[in-house]
Amino acid sequence: MAKLENLQTLSKHVGRVWNVSWHPKGQTFASCGEDKTIRIWSRENNSDLKWLNKVILTDGHKRTIREVSWSACGNYLASASFDTTTCIWDKKSGEFECNATLEGHENEVKSVAWSKSGRFLATCSRDKSVWIWEIADEDEYDCAAVLNAHTQDVKKVVWHPTEDILASGSYDNTIKLFKEDPTDSDWMCFATLLGHDSTVWSLSWDKEGKRLVSCSDDNTLKVWKQYLPGNSEGVATPEGQESWKCVCTLSGYHNRTIYDVSWSHLTDLIATSCGDDAIRIFREDDGCDPNAPTFSQIVCVDRAHSQDVNCISWNPVVPDVLVSGSDDEIVKTLQSYASLTLAESWDNVGLLVDPMTDNKVKTILLTNDLTEDVVAEAKQLGAGLIVSYHPNIFQGLKRVSADTWKERIVVQCIKNEIAVFSPHTSWDCIEGGVNDWLASAFNFTAIKPIKETPENPYQGAGRLLRLEEAVSVQDAIDWVKRHTGLDHLRLALGRHKTINSSVSTVALCAGSGGSVLKGVEADVYLTGEMSHHDVLDATQNGIHVILCEHSNSERGFLKIFQDHLKTKLLQGQVTVVVSKIDKDPLTIV
């Protein structure tokens, strides 16, 4: 069996990479994705197969870009977006610019494709329609037809390699073929291909356009063959129209949805990208019956990507070279653990420093606070990513220089190709996050957020606990010390109460919890720090206050997250380390 070698891993997109498209000359390709950007990659020089990100297009779309497509002449790039628009880009001014925005679809545009003749552009959408755009002038696009043949979301459109014939695949499990009626210039659906049991995700023509391969949510590939009127095989062609018949079904190879398929026009090999993280390549068997062909799997790369492989495409000029797109594994894993939308509105979370390197992250350093010493530790470890619970950039930086320690951190991270991601209050909010870690110091029978989120009653700011049985204040202190590993805490006893007073309920908030805890009915407030007046207010109302210092109420969670991240990332390929330098700046003397 042949092998598939990874020539290069490109990782500049943040989030899911939805699509890749080769320039007709094979020296350049475009990619697009969840981060609303289009990136254009070109070969570093003509002597090797290394690609660099030369261009980033950011001002065309407001939502996820689902697909990009180069025109046959290579002068135009079209992009389809979830914002319901299609943008047309060119380089006439010397830089890529959006020269036209096509509107009309009512929902997300899922696919876009140029006809080989250059006369037409096709788009399709979740609104169940396929639109044909006629290129009337150099930068003018007129809607020639709105085709409503599908009954569900249309996932893909692809043009015939030599003729103005369009194929589309849909959530309605069908494939439709369209062409222009020469008698009245109206577009018509002349064939409906039935056979898949679930969504048809993608399609690809062979080099002559006499066969078509489709992939589906039913985990199969199907090869369809054209039969013209008067064919020697005796296949019926109603009304003198060509007929298409499924001549081969490939099943048993994929165990999840097949998202994309590409039929090489240079080698006749078929490549697939799948939700099981694998890339597979199939070759037609020698000497098989053309009306009942058989294909053999010659390559299977089980972990081609660490997440779903969303797209795949053969190079149109260089044989046996293909490009595939997937999810940004590390950033996606971080965001899937705690959605950044859960963070407080005043917070600054997410990917805060992006060195824009193609180097793959092999070591991740976890820290509560990002200091210059922690950056030096990351550099020594060869870390490509620092996950800093507290954001190193909180208020806007007006410059990035060597003048202040926060600016120097950004400079050092970029210089040493270290990215920085901060989750902060999104980790506080989630079930199983920082506040739940702090709560696990106690034995309790009930727990709930102090301020619930509307979407989920188990997530939100702070926690209110009811203990299994009443304990003394001293017992509560001992539990917190044991849980956090601290020798000393700060304590303020409630008015008229003692160290032996009974505790049945605890309200807690990691970090600086004064605003969250204020007014909550509980026997004890537990947090990192509170203002003098908030402490006075609590104690005068008979509530005990236990303070750990700010970061000490959070830092212990890093070991919990370390274990979680290790299980989610590729075992043995990414090392996750908790900082040994990071510590609370305050000590008791």
Side-chain angles (χ1 to χ4, degrees):
M1 182 175 287
K3 292 183 179 180
L4 192 63
E5 178 186 355
N6 180 11
L7 295 177
Q8 193 175 1
T9 298
L10 309 171
S11 54
K12 289 187 181 296
H13 280 287
V14 177
R16 180 179 288 123
V17 178
W18 268 118
N19 187 244
V20 288
S21 175
W22 286 103
H23 187 277
K25 293 183 179 179
Q27 305 292 317
T28 299
F29 66 89
S31 61
C32 65
E34 195 174 18
D35 60 6
K36 298 174 283 190
T37 70
I38 299 168
R39 292 181 181 267
I40 298 177
W41 311 78
S42 299
R43 288 176 62 175
E44 187 169 7
N45 54 60
N46 293 327
S47 63
D48 61 23
L49 292 176
K50 298 295 182 182
W51 279 266
L52 296 177
N53 185 196
K54 300 293 184 69
V55 177
I56 308 174
L57 307 179
T58 60
D59 57 355
H61 294 289
K62 297 177 181 178
R63 292 185 62 193
T64 292
I65 304 175
R66 183 62 179 83
E67 191 165 286
V68 284
S69 176
W70 289 98
S71 63
C73 64
N75 294 328
Y76 299 92
L77 180 69
S79 57
S81 171
F82 284 5
D83 65 9
T84 75
T85 71
T86 301
C87 288
I88 311 298
W89 308 78
D90 67 35
K91 202 177 179 181
K92 294 175 185 175
S93 66
E95 301 290 337
F96 277 95
E97 292 182 352
C98 177
N99 66 48
T101 300
L102 311 184
E103 299 177 338
H105 283 292
E106 297 176 1
N107 295 105
E108 296 99 322
V109 184
K110 296 295 185 69
S111 181
V112 59
W114 300 87
S115 68
K116 189 71 173 179
S117 67
R119 291 182 56 210
F120 301 105
L121 184 76
T123 58
C124 65
S125 168
R126 191 165 69 88
D127 64 13
K128 308 175 187 178
S129 70
V130 174
W131 286 44
I132 308 293
W133 304 83
E134 187 169 7
I135 305 168
D137 197 1
E138 198 169 66
D139 292 328
E140 292 185 9
Y141 300 81
D142 295 331
C143 179
V146 176
L147 308 172
N148 295 302
H150 286 290
T151 59
Q152 296 292 334
D153 180 345
V154 189
K155 296 288 189 184
K156 189 76 172 181
V157 284
V158 289
W159 287 96
H160 190 281
T162 60
E163 302 177 45
D164 288 335
I165 293 174
L166 182 71
S168 61
S170 169
Y171 196 85
D172 65 12
N173 308 350
T174 72
I175 299 162
K176 303 279 186 179
L177 300 181
F178 303 94
K179 64 181 178 180
E180 192 176 20
D181 187 338
T183 60
D184 56 13
S185 298
D186 284 341
W187 285 80
M188 62 177 183
C189 175
F190 68 89
T192 298
L193 313 187
L194 304 172
H196 281 294
D197 296 327
S198 192
T199 302
V200 179
W201 273 89
S202 190
L203 308 159
S204 185
W205 298 89
D206 73 353
K207 60 186 175 184
E208 295 179 342
K210 295 180 179 179
R211 293 190 295 181
L212 182 72
V213 62
S214 57
C215 63
S216 169
D217 190 49
D218 65 13
N219 303 353
T220 71
L221 294 173
K222 289 186 180 291
V223 178
W224 310 81
K225 186 174 185 297
Q226 176 193 51
Y227 291 90
L228 298 174
N231 62 84
S232 59
E233 293 85 355
V235 176
T237 55
E239 300 180 2
Q241 292 284 351
E242 65 188 68
S243 180
W244 286 78
K245 177 183 175 183
C246 178
V247 292
C248 177
T249 298
L250 282 74
S251 60
Y253 296 100
H254 307 81
N255 51 50
R256 290 189 63 187
T257 300
I258 312 170
Y259 289 121
D260 200 11
V261 60
S262 179
W263 202 330
S264 172
H265 291 184
L266 300 177
T267 64
D268 290 326
L269 297 176
I270 295 174
T272 63
S273 60
C274 186
D276 62 9
D277 311 336
I279 290 174
R280 295 173 175 85
I281 297 177
F282 299 87
R283 181 171 57 203
E284 188 171 2
D285 296 331
D286 293 336
C288 62
D289 183 349
N291 297 301
T294 56
F295 291 77
S296 297
Q297 177 180 284
I298 61 169
V299 171
C300 179
V301 182
D302 288 325
R303 294 302 299 270
H305 289 270
S306 54
Q307 299 285 342
D308 298 359
V309 190
N310 300 316
C311 55
I312 198 161
S313 180
W314 288 105
N315 187 297
V317 175
V318 184
D320 299 329
V321 171
L322 54 78
V323 62
S324 59
S326 178
D327 301 346
D328 183 329
E329 180 214 1
I330 294 176
V331 172
K332 183 187 175 185
T333 300
L334 293 170
Q335 292 177 342
S336 66
Y337 180 74
S339 171
L340 299 181
T341 61
L342 297 174
E344 298 288 349
S345 59
W346 47 261
D347 208 353
N348 189 35
V349 295
L351 191 65
L352 303 187
V353 177
D354 180 2
M356 298 183 69
T357 175
D358 292 331
N359 293 335
K360 197 166 185 178
V361 173
K362 295 181 179 179
T363 301
I364 300 172
L365 180 65
L366 307 182
T367 185
N368 202 77
D369 295 301
L370 185 53
T371 64
E372 289 185 270
D373 291 334
V374 172
V375 173
E377 181 185 19
K379 181 181 176 182
Q380 185 177 15
L381 292 169
L385 172 66
I386 297 173
V387 177
S388 176
Y389 170 76
H390 285 133
N392 65 305
I393 302 173
F394 190 70
Q395 296 177 333
L397 296 176
K398 293 185 177 180
R399 62 184 61 84
V400 178
S401 67
D403 291 344
T404 69
W405 68 273
K406 287 191 175 182
E407 293 171 20
R408 288 194 295 272
I409 282 175
V410 175
V411 171
Q412 286 298 313
C413 285
I414 293 174
K415 181 179 178 181
N416 292 287
E417 300 186 340
I418 302 171
V420 179
F421 182 95
S422 176
H424 203 200
T425 53
S426 66
W427 273 9
D428 297 347
C429 185
I430 61 167
E431 186 178 6
V434 175
N435 280 313
D436 283 336
W437 166 79
L438 188 58
S440 63
F442 302 93
N443 297 322
F444 53 83
T445 58
I447 182 172
K448 66 177 183 178
I450 293 172
K451 297 180 179 180
E452 298 177 1
T453 61
E455 300 82 11
N456 188 335
Y458 300 103
Q459 65 186 17
R463 294 295 184 266
L464 181 61
L465 317 178
R466 180 165 295 281
L467 305 185
E468 285 184 353
E469 57 182 30
V471 299
S472 68
V473 176
Q474 184 62 62
D475 288 336
I477 290 170
D478 291 341
W479 287 357
V480 174
K481 283 184 176 180
R482 187 163 51 247
H483 185 62
T484 59
L486 298 173
D487 294 327
H488 300 90
L489 302 171
R490 288 194 289 165
L491 171 68
L493 289 170
R495 185 167 179 259
H496 300 316
K497 297 192 177 175
T498 71
I499 197 75
N500 294 315
S501 294
S502 178
V503 174
S504 296
T505 55
V506 177
L508 61 86
C509 181
S512 181
S515 61
V516 174
L517 298 173
K518 194 173 185 66
V520 178
E521 294 184 9
D523 298 322
V524 170
Y525 286 172
L526 170 63
T527 185
E529 62 176 323
M530 286 175 65
S531 73
H532 172 76
H533 295 287
D534 284 341
V535 172
L536 271 181
D537 187 57
T539 56
Q540 291 303 300
N541 286 299
I543 300 171
H544 312 291
V545 177
I546 300 174
L547 302 179
C548 307
E549 305 307 343
H550 189 113
S551 65
N552 290 334
S553 66
E554 306 157 336
R555 185 171 286 102
F557 176 73
L558 294 177
K559 291 191 179 297
I560 304 298
F561 186 70
Q562 178 189 33
D563 293 338
H564 169 83
L565 200 55
K566 283 180 177 179
T567 64
K568 294 295 182 180
L569 300 177
L570 283 174
Q571 296 296 320
Q573 295 192 31
V574 181
T575 302
V576 184
V577 180
V578 176
S579 173
K580 295 180 180 179
I581 301 295
D582 175 47
K583 63 181 180 179
D584 196 283
L586 290 170
T587 58
I588 296 176
V589 297

